[in-house]
Every structure is written in structure tokens, then in C-alpha cells.
């Protein structure tokens, strides 16, 4: 399929922008709107728009790993966030303050859990889209 | 300030109503897709207006995300129309 130059140039910036905004939503999601789920959906929409424009192979190349391995890694991270504490209730949160001199970064197990959710959502949605795109392509070649 | 808010509200509602009319009676698929894109942009404007009126800055982030993802829907519709036109040839 011949693609248009408008779509080409828009996509080059839009994919980068979607990645940045999704990461922003992931990091600020603890006590403001956002979080792992919506960040993951936004990251998956970068895969969706690439798949729409250039086909399923370009989407797979952008994803770099198999979608199923994304789901596995995300689930492992989420369970790991719950296993950090032995004497407290499962999934109770632990915070660590990392001081870098000019600022203080608060890291904790909720962030690890959110990162797991982000990776799982990215894997699930992009596996849906890539699978549907392959089915459409097979049907079109069959006609 | 109140008068400005009311004027902006009426203008946005009028734009939304006009684009809904185009969406309902658009003769071809292309008219409807453009009307849907316009509705998304007007909704982004409404969110920005509401963020200014209520001082809730989180609504601006929602407006950014809606503005980015509205492009994806339009691109998907464009691909669909392109495939249809090729199939009919």
C-alpha cells in the first residue's frame, strides 16, 4: 500500500509523543488522574496507529518482543510488588526516598505494581490488534 | 467574567450541534468521518473551557489525551474507506 507523506511525518512525531505522555501518566498516577492502565492503553495506541499505517509487521517491529512475553513480564512484576513484605498484609506498600541532592524521588511498591499493569495492558491490547490485522490480511489475500 | 463564559458555552454548543447535523445527514461516508473528527476537537475545546472555569488542571491532561487519540480514529476510518474503494474497483 502506498502511504501518504502527511501520515508519514505525523506518525514520526506522534509515536514519540504517545510514548512520552503514556510514561507521564504512569508516573503521576498514584494520587492524580492517570495510572498504569490508561498509560498502557496510550502506549498500545502507538502500536495501533503504526499497525494501521504500515501493516502488522511494522507494529511487531516497534514492539520488538512477542506480545505474550510482555504479559508474562508484567504479571511477574505485579506479583513481585506484593511479595516485598513478609510481616505485613499482602500488597501493603513500602516507600523508599531516594535523594539526588537537588530533588527527592519517592519510589515504592505501588509504582512497581503500576509498571506491571502498564506492561500487561500494552501486551494484551497490541496482541489483539496484531492478531486482528493478520486475520484481515489473510482474508484479503484469499479473495 | 460570567458573560464571557456564557458566550463561549453557547458557541461551543452551537458548533457541536452543527457537526451533529452533518454527522446525521452527511451524504457520504467521508462527510461523516470529518464530522466525527470535528466533534472530537469541539469536545477538546469544551474540556479546556471547563478546566479554565472550574480551575481543575487535571482536565487539561484529559484534553491532551483526547486530542492525540482522536487522530487514531480518523486514520482508521481513512484506511477503511481506502480499502472499500480498492475493493469496489
Amino acid at each position: 500500500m502506498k502511504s501518504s507523506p502527511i501520515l508519514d511525518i505525523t506518525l514520526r512525531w506522534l509515536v514519540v509523543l504517545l510514548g512520552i505522555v503514556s510514561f507521564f501518566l504512569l508516573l503521576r498516577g498514584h494520587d492524580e488522574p492517570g495510572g498504569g492502565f490508561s498509560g498502557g492503553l496510550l502506549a498500545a495506541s502507538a502500536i495501533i496507529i503504526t499497525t494501521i499505517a504500515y501493516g502488522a509487521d511494522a507494529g511487531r517491529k516497534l514492539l520488538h518482543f512477542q506480545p505474550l512475553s510482555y504479559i508474562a513480564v508484567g504479571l511477574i512484576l505485579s506479583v513481585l510488588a506484593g511479595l516485598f513484605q513478609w510481616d505485613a498484609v499482602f500488597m501493603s506498600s513500602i516507600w523508599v526516598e531516594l535523594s539526588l541532592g537537588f530533588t527527592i524521588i519517592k519510589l515504592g511498591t505501588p509504582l512497581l505494581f503500576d509498571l506491571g499493569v502498564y506492561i500487561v495492558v500494552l501486551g494484551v491490547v497490541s496482541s489483539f490488534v496484531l492478531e486482528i490485522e493478520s486475520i484481515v490480511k489473510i482474508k484479503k489475500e484469499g479473495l | 467574567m460570567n458573560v464571557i463564559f456564557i458566550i463561549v458555552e453557547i458557541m461551543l454548543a452551537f458548533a457541536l450541534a452543527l457537526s451533529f447535523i452533518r454527522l446525521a445527514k452527511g451524504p457520504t461516508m467521508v462527510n461523516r468521518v470529518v464530522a466525527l473528527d470535528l466533534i472530537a476537537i469541539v469536545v477538546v475545546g469544551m474540556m479546556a473551557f471547563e478546566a479554565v472555569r472550574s480551575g481543575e488542571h487535571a482536565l487539561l491532561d484529559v484534553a491532551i489525551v483526547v486530542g492525540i487519540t482522536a487522530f487514531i480514529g480518523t486514520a482508521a476510518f481513512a484506511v477503511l474507506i481506502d480499502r472499500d474503494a480498492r475493493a469496489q474497483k
Side-chain angles (χ1 to χ4, degrees):
Chain A
M1 197 205 294
K2 205 177 75 180
S3 67
S4 85
I6 300 174
L7 195 61
D8 263 0
I9 297 194
T10 314
L11 266 191
R12 201 175 302 157
W13 294 102
L14 199 67
V15 169
V16 178
L17 192 67
L18 280 170
I20 293 171
V21 174
S22 78
F23 208 65
F24 168 70
L25 279 183
L26 166 70
L27 287 183
R28 61 114 52 148
H30 187 59
D31 37 31
E32 276 188 88
F37 191 84
S38 45
L41 276 181
L42 214 59
S45 63
I47 308 289
I48 294 174
I49 188 83
T50 312
T51 307
I52 286 171
Y54 302 120
D57 291 333
R60 284 209 180 82
K61 206 174 158 196
L62 186 64
L63 208 57
H64 197 74
F65 299 111
Q66 289 285 320
L68 279 182
S69 56
Y70 273 91
I71 298 174
V73 169
L75 284 177
I76 288 172
L77 280 182
S78 293
V79 171
L80 212 65
L83 290 182
F84 260 103
Q85 50 278 338
W86 294 107
D87 44 354
V89 185
F90 183 66
M91 286 277 180
S92 54
S93 54
I94 298 173
W95 292 96
V96 179
E97 294 202 347
L98 206 70
S99 85
L100 290 179
F102 58 95
T103 179
I104 295 173
I105 300 179
K106 280 181 87 177
L107 294 174
T109 50
L111 182 61
L112 193 62
F113 183 77
D114 259 356
L115 190 66
V117 173
Y118 177 94
I119 296 173
V120 168
V121 171
L122 174 60
V124 169
V125 176
S126 51
S127 80
F128 285 170
V129 172
L130 292 175
E131 218 37 56
I132 289 171
E133 186 72 17
S134 330
I135 291 170
V136 169
K137 200 178 170 192
I138 289 167
K139 270 198 173 171
K140 215 167 64 179
E141 282 166 0
L143 276 172
Chain B
M1 267 326 238
N2 252 336
V3 181
I4 298 174
F5 284 154
I6 291 172
I7 292 171
V8 171
E9 241 169 3
I10 289 173
M11 283 167 74
L12 282 172
F14 192 61
L16 198 61
L18 283 182
S19 42
F20 261 116
I21 291 172
R22 182 49 70 198
L23 180 69
K25 66 174 246 196
T28 62
M29 181 86 170
V30 183
N31 297 67
R32 293 201 170 93
V33 172
V34 173
L36 266 181
D37 202 30
L38 186 61
I39 286 173
I41 299 301
V42 172
V43 166
V44 169
M46 281 179 160
M47 280 172 181
F49 166 74
E50 188 61 26
V52 171
R53 197 183 62 80
S54 67
E56 188 86 36
H57 65 273
L59 276 172
L60 280 179
D61 302 339
V62 180
I64 292 172
V65 172
V66 171
I68 294 173
T69 49
F71 178 75
I72 295 174
T74 311
F77 270 120
V79 170
L80 193 69
I81 292 171
D82 193 46
R83 276 182 190 166
D84 259 16
R86 272 157 211 265
Q88 278 174 4
K89 259 180 198 171

